[in-house]
């Protein structure tokens, strides 16, 4: 029998409208605190036009499916006009829709349809950089050194006798130097010649904006208002720990490391204190809208910083509402590693008064089924590893139940609810992720989780595209996608889909889930067990051997077969103790 030990650092928060009635997306102003949002990677969700690329009308057509799944809202990856060097994270016009994805009227129809179903709509916003096709950057190139548009970016003279060396040694996140040199237009008398350099923390087609220039902040205020006036419920803020760079742009102490990890290790280019001013400004702007109708407009940040304590600064009460806590995503499948990151999050982040925002998958990461299919946690895939996909799937199911039982909010990446593994063997010639090319074909991590979703049928395009037979999805779908198609998943009560749907439904019905207390329970060495609120138990067996079930009670849901009184290996389960309130 397991005994309860209290977790310090969290206390129950007062109940609020919506949560009590089990409607997380209900009437509460702070609806986001325990919401579950579904990430739609628009190009790969559903194609309504037959060009092989998903679009906004496709998303609209898929809304009833998402409603049935039971999420509270959607986050749309960027759909703005863009040359697509980084699939829309290179924005050429912040107030439009790329024709590939639709138009503003279609966007309005999508928002209206989502709202009719009670789903929130959160859109991606990319403030750290724009596209090299953005009118500001084009003007900056044309006007030459010293011009007003150059001051909105980081232009600098090079080092070396002829300025032939970059202004500093920073490396770009996606490989190569973080600086590119431009060709100056030349005056009436002079021919074009090599000139200044500009900074780009990602690809050369994504020049970094200079947030020390007030014109940049003013511009983004207008952009936020444009979309808020169209009815969006919030923004997912790209690269939210970026934006400000050290004012002197000095050399990085360890430039090679800057390329090795996404955790913002160049302390001169990331996580500068000034960035918090921007989040205060954006929060005040969003609160203006919330004050009008009593519904918060959510700011959820992509915050990659090394520690939970640093992370917590981004969700102080007057800053972002949420920030993805990636430490769970990057934890290896190991009981101690999971407990440590959960503990840190609940202590440091919940201590700010915010909630923790849990995430296991997204469009930048190897999918959980594959990540957990080997030893440790793969950060890249080579296609040659000895994957045990059944084991990965069992662990991914268990991790999902764990995530949905933790206090706070959660994000589910499209296809996660289908148990899609990563497509690890895409041929080089179809890969589109700029990281692949910019690292000399060394790193392949992001195309494999972006393959268009399978909806129905036995062969590609699996109902993804409504076009003619010859219409091909923009990334090829493997034959085995048939096993994961939504029509099969809905028909099979043992599928991932039903696990997610049942978990989400219980989460709404159980007063203990969502926000509230978590108490760790004593458990066998490979088992993580905790009690939520009054009598809701969640336990995960990280080992392979069966362990005794944590407490007597009524089983509610498990990620795999659970014989009475036993928690098999790689399995998670929820119980209610006999004295606890039961779900309605
Ligand atoms: C974020 C996005 C990623 C994109 C990068 C540059 O990390 O999630 O997809 O490539 O920012 O905008």
């Amino acid at each position: 029998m397991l005994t309860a030990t209290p977790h310090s650092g969290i206390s129950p928060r007062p109940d609020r409208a919506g949560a009590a009635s089990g409607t997380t997306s209900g009437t509460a102003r702070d609806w986001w605190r325990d919401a579950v949002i579904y990430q739609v990677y628009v190009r790969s969700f559903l194609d309504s036009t037959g060009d092989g690329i998903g679009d906004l009308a496709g998303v609209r057509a898929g809304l009833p499916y998402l409603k049935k799944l039971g999420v509270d809202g959607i986050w749309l990856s960027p759909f703005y006009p863009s040359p697509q060097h980084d699939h829309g994270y290179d924005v050429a016009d912040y107030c439009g829709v790329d024709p590939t994805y639709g138009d503003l009227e279609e966007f309005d129809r999508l928002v209206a349809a989502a709202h009719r179903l009670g789903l929130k709509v959160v859109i991606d916003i990319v403030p750290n950089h724009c596209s090299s096709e953005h009118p500001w950057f084009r003007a900056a190139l044309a006007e030459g050194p010293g011009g007003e548009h150059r001051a909105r970016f980081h232009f600098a003279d090079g080092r070396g006798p002829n300025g032939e060396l970059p202004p500093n040694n920073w490396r770009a996140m996606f490989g190569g130097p973080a600086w590119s040199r431009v060709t100056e237009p030349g005056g009436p008398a002079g021919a074009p010649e090599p000139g200044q350099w500009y900074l780009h923390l990602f690809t050369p087609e994504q020049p970094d904006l200079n947030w020390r220039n007030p014109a940049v902040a003013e511009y983004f205020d207008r952009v936020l208002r444009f979309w808020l006036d169209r009815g969006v419920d919030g923004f997912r803020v790209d690269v939210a720990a970026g934006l400000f760079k050290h004012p002197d742009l000095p050399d990085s102490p360890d430039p090679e490391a800057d390329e090795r990890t996404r955790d913002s290790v160049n302390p001169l280019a990331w996580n500068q204190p000034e960035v918090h001013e921007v989040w205060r400004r954006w929060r005040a702007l969003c609160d203006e809208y919330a004050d009008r109708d009593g519904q918060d407009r959510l700011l959820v940040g992509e915050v990659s910083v090394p520690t939970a304590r640093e992370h917590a600064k981004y969700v102080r009460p007057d800053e972002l509402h949420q920030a993805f806590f990636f430490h769970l995503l990057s934890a290896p499948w190991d009981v101690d590693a999971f407990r440590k990151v959960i503990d840190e999050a609940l202590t440091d982040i919940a201590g700010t008064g915010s909630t923790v925002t849990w995430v296991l998958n997204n469009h930048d990461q190897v999918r959980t089924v594959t990540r957990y299919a080997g030893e440790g946690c793969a950060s890249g895939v080579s296609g040659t590893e000895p994957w045990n996909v059944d084991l990965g799937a069992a662990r991914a199911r268990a991790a999902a139940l764990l995530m949905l039982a933790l206090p706070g909010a959660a994000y589910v990446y499209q296809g996660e609810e289908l148990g899609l593994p990563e497509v690890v063997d895409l041929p080089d010639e179809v890969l589109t992720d700029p990281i692949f090319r910019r690292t000399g074909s060394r790193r392949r991590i992001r195309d494999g989780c972006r393959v268009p979703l399978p909806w129905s049928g036995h062969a590609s395009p699996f109902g993804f595209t409504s076009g003619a037979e010859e219409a091909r999805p923009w990334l090829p779908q493997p034959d085995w996608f048939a096993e994961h198609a939504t029509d099969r998943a809905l028909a099979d009560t043992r599928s991932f889909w039903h696990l997610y749907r049942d978990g989400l439904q219980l989460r709404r019905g159980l007063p203990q889930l969502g926000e509230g207390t978590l108490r760790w329970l004593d458990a066998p060495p490979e088992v993580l067990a905790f009690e939520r609120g009054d009598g809701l138990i969640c336990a995960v067996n990280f080992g392979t051997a069966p362990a005794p079930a944590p407490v007597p009670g009524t089983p509610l849901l498990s990620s795999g077969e659970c014989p009475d009184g036993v928690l098999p290996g790689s399995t998670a389960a929820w119980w209610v103790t006999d004295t606890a309130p039961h779900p309605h």
Side-chain angles (χ1 to χ4, degrees):
M1 164 74 103
L2 304 166
T3 53
T5 52
H7 179 282
S8 59
I10 46 169
S11 53
R13 61 183 291 282
D15 206 0
R16 63 198 169 85
S21 61
T23 52
T24 47
S25 57
T27 52
R29 172 166 174 148
D30 52 359
W31 55 270
W32 46 270
R33 292 185 72 93
D34 56 5
V36 179
I37 306 276
Y38 184 95
Q39 180 189 354
V40 177
Y41 194 68
V42 177
R43 316 178 52 79
S44 301
F45 186 73
L46 186 58
D47 165 26
S48 74
T49 59
D51 63 356
I53 299 177
D55 47 51
L56 295 181
V59 179
R60 184 160 54 91
L63 290 176
Y65 164 82
L66 298 177
K67 181 68 186 172
K68 197 186 284 186
L69 181 62
V71 293
D72 298 302
I74 56 174
W75 146 32
L76 297 169
S77 56
F79 48 75
Y80 310 104
S82 159
Q84 306 289 335
H85 287 290
D86 189 15
H87 290 324
Y89 286 96
D90 46 327
V91 180
D93 171 5
Y94 284 84
C95 296
V97 174
D98 195 288
T100 312
Y101 301 130
D103 54 25
L104 279 172
E105 287 67 39
E106 182 49 52
F107 178 82
D108 292 342
R109 281 194 286 275
L110 169 57
V111 173
H115 285 170
R116 273 198 298 278
L117 290 171
L119 296 170
K120 305 283 187 192
V121 179
V122 173
I123 64 172
D124 226 304
I125 185 108
V126 188
N128 179 68
H129 46 266
C130 59
S131 160
S132 50
E133 298 292 312
H134 190 280
W136 280 9
F137 193 74
R138 292 163 76 112
L141 289 186
E143 74 191 2
E148 113 189 72
H149 289 91
R150 288 217 175 179
R152 297 175 187 179
F153 298 91
H154 297 279
F155 274 86
D157 294 333
R159 298 197 279 200
N162 301 307
E164 69 279 15
L165 298 172
N168 69 24
N169 66 356
W170 294 3
R171 308 290 296 171
M173 303 289 292
F174 288 175
W179 295 89
S180 288
R181 195 170 192 189
V182 303
T183 302
E184 303 296 2
E193 55 181 27
Q196 288 195 301
W197 297 71
Y198 69 91
L199 179 70
H200 50 82
L201 288 184
F202 294 89
T203 70
E205 294 82 13
Q206 293 164 298
D208 278 48
L209 290 157
N210 178 5
W211 275 83
R212 296 185 192 278
N213 184 329
V216 173
E218 285 156 17
Y219 175 72
F220 275 94
D221 286 353
R222 291 196 293 278
V223 171
L224 294 182
R225 287 185 192 282
F226 176 85
W227 293 106
L228 289 169
D229 290 342
R230 291 197 104 86
V232 304
D233 301 291
F235 301 93
R236 177 268 187 189
V237 184
D238 192 59
V239 187
L243 276 60
F244 280 83
K245 282 83 196 170
H246 188 288
D248 305 330
L249 303 174
D251 274 341
S252 163
D254 188 2
E256 298 309 317
D258 304 344
E259 228 182 317
R260 277 200 300 272
T261 161
R262 291 173 55 82
D263 270 349
S264 321
V265 288
N266 179 351
L268 305 161
W270 292 86
N271 202 21
Q272 301 292 298
E274 296 91 329
V275 76
H276 295 284
E277 285 305 320
V278 178
W279 309 138
R280 290 193 190 102
R281 179 180 179 125
W282 285 26
R283 178 65 175 259
L285 192 155
C286 285
D287 282 352
E288 258 181 51
Y289 284 77
D291 289 343
R292 284 183 212 156
D293 63 7
Q295 291 282 293
D296 277 344
R297 303 305 194 271
L298 170 68
L299 294 169
V300 51
E302 185 203 26
V303 173
S304 290
V305 288
T307 64
R309 198 157 289 175
E310 275 304 300
H311 183 103
K313 292 185 182 161
Y314 287 78
V315 289
R316 288 177 288 203
D318 58 348
E319 298 200 31
L320 302 171
H321 303 81
Q322 298 180 332
F324 298 122
F325 187 64
F326 290 125
H327 295 213
L328 187 70
L329 185 155
S330 49
W333 183 254
D334 174 82
V335 65
D336 296 329
F338 268 63
R339 179 163 172 161
K340 182 167 176 282
V341 296
I342 293 168
D343 253 334
E344 279 173 2
L346 293 180
T347 307
D348 293 334
I349 299 167
T352 62
S354 182
T355 56
V356 185
T357 301
W358 305 102
V359 54
L360 289 168
N361 289 281
N362 68 29
H363 65 294
D364 293 329
Q365 303 293 338
V366 175
R367 288 183 179 276
T368 34
V369 170
T370 305
R371 223 163 62 217
Y372 298 147
E375 285 314 308
C377 175
S379 59
V381 282
S382 67
T384 57
E385 303 275 342
W387 310 111
N388 181 343
V389 173
D390 290 341
L391 179 65
R395 290 169 169 178
R397 291 170 65 93
L401 273 201
L402 168 69
M403 176 175 81
L404 293 178
L406 291 172
Y411 283 70
V412 173
Y413 174 50
Q414 69 180 37
E416 183 178 330
E417 83 285 11
L418 300 173
L420 274 185
E422 187 84 0
V423 182
V424 295
D425 53 1
L426 289 167
D428 287 3
E429 58 277 14
V430 305
L431 299 181
T432 60
D433 182 358
I435 297 180
F436 181 64
R437 309 266 169 245
R438 293 194 56 76
T439 57
S441 311
R442 279 182 289 115
R443 279 169 62 197
R444 13 177 339 127
I445 57 164
R446 302 195 304 174
D447 288 291
C449 65
R450 298 175 176 179
V451 176
L453 288 190
W455 289 87
S456 58
H458 299 283
S460 180
F462 298 111
F464 165 72
T465 164
S466 61
E469 279 294 292
E470 61 275 10
R472 285 284 154 253
W474 67 277
L475 279 174
Q477 299 160 305
D479 292 344
W480 52 260
F481 258 36
E483 292 162 36
H484 300 274
T486 59
D487 60 348
R488 278 221 217 174
L490 266 79
D492 178 0
T493 53
R494 293 158 313 161
S495 68
F496 265 77
W497 194 87
H498 280 274
L499 181 73
Y500 273 83
R501 205 278 312 261
D502 293 352
L504 289 167
Q505 213 167 32
L506 282 169
R507 203 179 139 100
R508 279 173 190 272
L510 283 163
Q512 297 97 324
L513 291 180
E515 282 213 81
T517 56
L518 178 151
R519 290 190 305 146
W520 292 115
L521 304 175
D522 289 340
E526 295 275 43
V527 174
L528 195 66
F530 55 84
E531 181 178 12
R532 293 298 321 280
D534 186 8
L536 187 284
I537 311 295
C538 173
V540 187
N541 186 348
F542 283 78
T544 45
V551 284
T554 311
L556 287 177
L557 185 60
S558 61
S559 65
E561 288 290 311
C562 251
D564 213 16
V566 175
L567 184 61
S570 312
T571 303
W574 295 356
W575 291 264
V576 269
T577 56
D578 292 335
T579 53
H582 281 241
H584 357 278

